[in-house]
């Protein structure tokens, strides 16, 4: 969803003419939109993008922990997802934008995919401030304080 905000900004400033989810559903698999009423298609396209992102996030979660622990692994993963779309999926689906150079658009998409990776690769709260942090103040007391009952 954070990537959606980045994408809307890029569209708003003219860096992206047509978003990849829109291109996929209109050009690559238009039959997927046939059952969706015209006034609901924007929402359907966005939900499809969230589904792609969720699947990519789940795939990141399946990577070995030793890989996911590196701070750079998330952004690198996001860039790899972008590259997979740009250089494999878009051409395979015959998307029109895959045939053009589009440096400004590709840069905008690269940045928002790196941000996606940064978010997906962010450590969970317990990894940041949990008992494993080595801070004795974070350790729970093994027994209730006996002075409290005095």
């Amino acid at each position: 969803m954070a990537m959606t905000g980045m994408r809307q900004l890029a569209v708003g400033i003219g860096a992206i003419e047509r978003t990849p989810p829109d291109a996929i559903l209109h050009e690559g698999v238009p039959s997927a939109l046939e059952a969706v009423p015209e006034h609901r298609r924007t929402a359907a396209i966005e939900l499809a993008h969230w589904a792609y992102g969720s699947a990519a996030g789940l795939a990141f979660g399946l990577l070995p922990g030793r890989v996911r622990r590196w701070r750079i692994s998330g952004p690198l993963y996001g860039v790899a997802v972008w590259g997979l779309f740009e250089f494999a999926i878009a051409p395979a689906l015959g998307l029109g934008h895959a045939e053009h150079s589009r440096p400004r658009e590709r840069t905008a998409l690269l940045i928002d995919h790196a941000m996606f990776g940064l978010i997906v690769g962010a450590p969970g709260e317990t990894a940041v401030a949990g008992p494993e942090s080595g801070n004795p103040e974070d350790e729970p007391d093994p027994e209730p304080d006996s002075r409290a009952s005095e």
Side-chain angles (χ1 to χ4, degrees), residues 2-20 103-113 115:
M3 193 173 168
T4 297
M6 289 287 295
R7 182 72 45 87
Q8 291 304 315
L9 174 67
V11 169
I13 63 171
I16 298 174
E17 289 183 36
R18 186 173 211 179
T19 67
R104 188 171 56 177
E105 184 172 312
R106 281 191 169 151
T107 301
L109 294 172
L110 176 67
I111 290 168
D112 74 13
H113 279 81
M115 189 186 89

Coordinates of all heavy atoms in Angstrom, one line a residue, residues 2-20 103-113 115:
A2 N 2.0 1.2 0.7 CA 2.9 2.3 0.6 C 3.4 2.6 -0.8 O 3.6 3.7 -1.2 CB 4.1 2.1 1.6
M3 N 3.6 1.5 -1.5 CA 4.0 1.6 -2.9 C 3.0 2.3 -3.7 O 3.3 3.0 -4.7 CB 4.3 0.2 -3.4 CG 5.1 0.1 -4.7 SD 5.5 -1.6 -5.0 CE 6.0 -1.5 -6.6
T4 N 1.7 2.0 -3.4 CA 0.6 2.7 -4.1 C 0.8 4.2 -4.0 O 0.6 4.9 -5.0 CB -0.7 2.2 -3.6 OG1 -0.9 0.8 -3.8 CG2 -1.9 3.0 -4.2
G5 N 1.1 4.7 -2.8 CA 1.3 6.1 -2.7 C 2.4 6.6 -3.5 O 2.3 7.7 -4.2
M6 N 3.5 5.9 -3.6 CA 4.7 6.3 -4.4 C 4.2 6.3 -5.9 O 4.6 7.2 -6.7 CB 5.8 5.3 -4.2 CG 6.6 5.5 -2.9 SD 7.5 6.9 -2.8 CE 8.8 6.7 -4.1
R7 N 3.5 5.3 -6.3 CA 3.0 5.1 -7.6 C 2.1 6.3 -8.0 O 2.2 6.8 -9.1 CB 2.3 3.8 -7.8 CG 1.8 3.4 -9.1 CD 2.9 3.0 -10.1 NE 3.9 2.2 -9.6 CZ 3.8 0.8 -9.6 NH1 2.8 0.2 -10.1 NH2 4.8 0.1 -9.0
Q8 N 1.2 6.7 -7.1 CA 0.3 7.8 -7.4 C 1.0 9.1 -7.6 O 0.7 9.9 -8.4 CB -0.8 7.9 -6.3 CG -1.8 6.7 -6.4 CD -2.4 6.6 -7.7 OE1 -2.9 7.5 -8.4 NE2 -2.5 5.3 -8.2
L9 N 2.1 9.3 -6.7 CA 2.9 10.4 -6.9 C 3.6 10.5 -8.2 O 3.6 11.5 -8.9 CB 4.0 10.5 -5.7 CG 5.0 11.6 -5.8 CD1 4.3 12.9 -5.6 CD2 6.1 11.4 -4.8
A10 N 4.1 9.3 -8.6 CA 4.8 9.2 -9.9 C 3.9 9.5 -11.1 O 4.2 10.2 -12.1 CB 5.5 7.9 -10.1
V11 N 2.7 9.0 -11.0 CA 1.7 9.3 -12.0 C 1.3 10.7 -12.0 O 1.2 11.4 -13.1 CB 0.4 8.4 -11.8 CG1 -0.7 8.8 -12.7 CG2 0.7 6.9 -12.1
G12 N 1.1 11.3 -10.8 CA 0.7 12.7 -10.7 C 1.7 13.7 -11.2 O 1.4 14.7 -11.8
I13 N 3.0 13.3 -11.1 CA 4.1 14.3 -11.7 C 4.4 13.9 -13.1 O 5.3 14.5 -13.7 CB 5.3 14.3 -10.8 CG1 6.0 12.9 -10.7 CG2 5.0 14.8 -9.4 CD1 7.4 12.9 -10.0
G14 N 3.8 12.9 -13.7 CA 4.0 12.6 -15.1 C 5.1 11.7 -15.4 O 5.5 11.5 -16.5
A15 N 5.7 11.0 -14.3 CA 6.8 10.1 -14.5 C 6.4 8.8 -15.1 O 7.1 8.1 -15.7 CB 7.6 9.9 -13.2
I16 N 5.1 8.4 -14.8 CA 4.6 7.2 -15.3 C 3.3 7.5 -16.0 O 2.4 8.2 -15.4 CB 4.3 6.2 -14.1 CG1 5.6 5.8 -13.3 CG2 3.6 4.9 -14.6 CD1 5.3 5.0 -12.1
E17 N 3.1 7.0 -17.2 CA 1.9 7.2 -18.0 C 0.9 6.1 -17.6 O -0.3 6.5 -17.4 CB 2.2 7.2 -19.5 CG 2.9 8.4 -19.9 CD 3.2 8.4 -21.4 OE1 2.3 7.9 -22.2 OE2 4.2 8.9 -21.8
R18 N 1.3 4.9 -17.6 CA 0.3 3.8 -17.3 C 1.0 2.8 -16.4 O 2.1 2.4 -16.6 CB 0.0 3.1 -18.6 CG -1.0 2.0 -18.4 CD -1.5 1.5 -19.8 NE -2.9 1.1 -19.7 CZ -3.5 0.6 -20.7 NH1 -3.0 0.4 -21.8 NH2 -4.8 0.2 -20.5
T19 N 0.4 2.6 -15.2 CA 1.0 1.7 -14.2 C 1.1 0.3 -14.7 O 0.2 -0.2 -15.5 CB 0.2 1.8 -12.9 OG1 -1.0 1.2 -13.1 CG2 0.1 3.2 -12.4
P20 N 2.1 -0.5 -14.3 CA 2.1 -1.9 -14.7 C 0.9 -2.7 -14.4 O 0.4 -3.5 -15.3 CB 3.3 -2.4 -13.9 CG 4.2 -1.2 -13.8 CD 3.2 -0.1 -13.5
P103 N 13.2 5.8 -19.9 CA 14.1 5.9 -18.7 C 13.5 6.5 -17.5 O 13.7 6.0 -16.4 CB 15.3 6.7 -19.2 CG 14.8 7.3 -20.5 CD 13.7 6.5 -21.0
R104 N 12.6 7.6 -17.7 CA 12.0 8.2 -16.5 C 11.1 7.3 -15.8 O 11.0 7.2 -14.6 CB 11.4 9.5 -16.9 CG 10.9 10.4 -15.8 CD 10.4 11.7 -16.2 NE 9.4 11.6 -17.2 CZ 8.7 12.6 -17.7 NH1 9.0 13.8 -17.4 NH2 7.8 12.4 -18.6
E105 N 10.2 6.6 -16.6 CA 9.3 5.7 -16.0 C 9.9 4.5 -15.3 O 9.6 4.1 -14.2 CB 8.3 5.2 -17.1 CG 7.2 4.3 -16.6 CD 6.2 4.0 -17.6 OE1 5.7 4.9 -18.3 OE2 5.9 2.8 -17.8
R106 N 10.9 4.0 -16.0 CA 11.7 2.8 -15.4 C 12.3 3.2 -14.1 O 12.4 2.5 -13.1 CB 12.7 2.2 -16.4 CG 12.0 1.4 -17.4 CD 13.0 0.6 -18.2 NE 12.3 -0.4 -18.9 CZ 12.7 -0.9 -20.1 NH1 13.8 -0.5 -20.6 NH2 12.0 -1.8 -20.7
T107 N 12.9 4.5 -14.0 CA 13.5 4.9 -12.8 C 12.5 5.1 -11.7 O 12.7 4.7 -10.6 CB 14.2 6.3 -13.1 OG1 15.2 6.1 -14.1 CG2 14.9 6.8 -11.8
A108 N 11.3 5.7 -12.0 CA 10.3 5.8 -11.0 C 9.8 4.4 -10.5 O 9.6 4.2 -9.3 CB 9.1 6.6 -11.6
L109 N 9.7 3.5 -11.4 CA 9.2 2.1 -11.0 C 10.3 1.4 -10.2 O 10.0 0.7 -9.2 CB 8.8 1.3 -12.2 CG 7.6 1.8 -12.9 CD1 7.4 1.0 -14.2 CD2 6.4 1.7 -12.0
L110 N 11.6 1.6 -10.6 CA 12.7 1.1 -9.8 C 12.7 1.6 -8.4 O 12.9 0.8 -7.4 CB 14.0 1.4 -10.5 CG 15.3 0.9 -9.8 CD1 15.4 -0.6 -9.8 CD2 16.5 1.5 -10.5
I111 N 12.5 2.9 -8.2 CA 12.5 3.5 -6.9 C 11.4 3.0 -6.1 O 11.5 2.6 -4.9 CB 12.4 5.1 -7.0 CG1 13.8 5.6 -7.6 CG2 12.1 5.7 -5.7 CD1 13.7 7.0 -8.0
D112 N 10.1 2.9 -6.6 CA 9.1 2.4 -5.8 C 9.2 0.9 -5.5 O 8.8 0.5 -4.4 CB 7.7 2.8 -6.3 CG 7.1 2.1 -7.5 OD1 7.7 1.0 -7.9 OD2 6.1 2.5 -8.0
H113 N 9.8 0.1 -6.3 CA 10.1 -1.3 -6.0 C 11.2 -1.4 -4.9 O 11.1 -2.3 -4.1 CB 10.4 -2.1 -7.2 CG 9.2 -2.5 -8.0 ND1 8.6 -1.6 -8.9 CD2 8.5 -3.6 -8.0 CE1 7.5 -2.2 -9.4 NE2 7.5 -3.5 -8.9
M115 N 11.6 0.8 -2.6 CA 10.9 1.1 -1.4 C 10.0 0.0 -0.9 O 10.0 -0.3 0.3 CB 10.0 2.4 -1.6 CG 9.4 2.8 -0.2 SD 8.3 4.2 -0.4 CE 6.8 3.2 -0.6

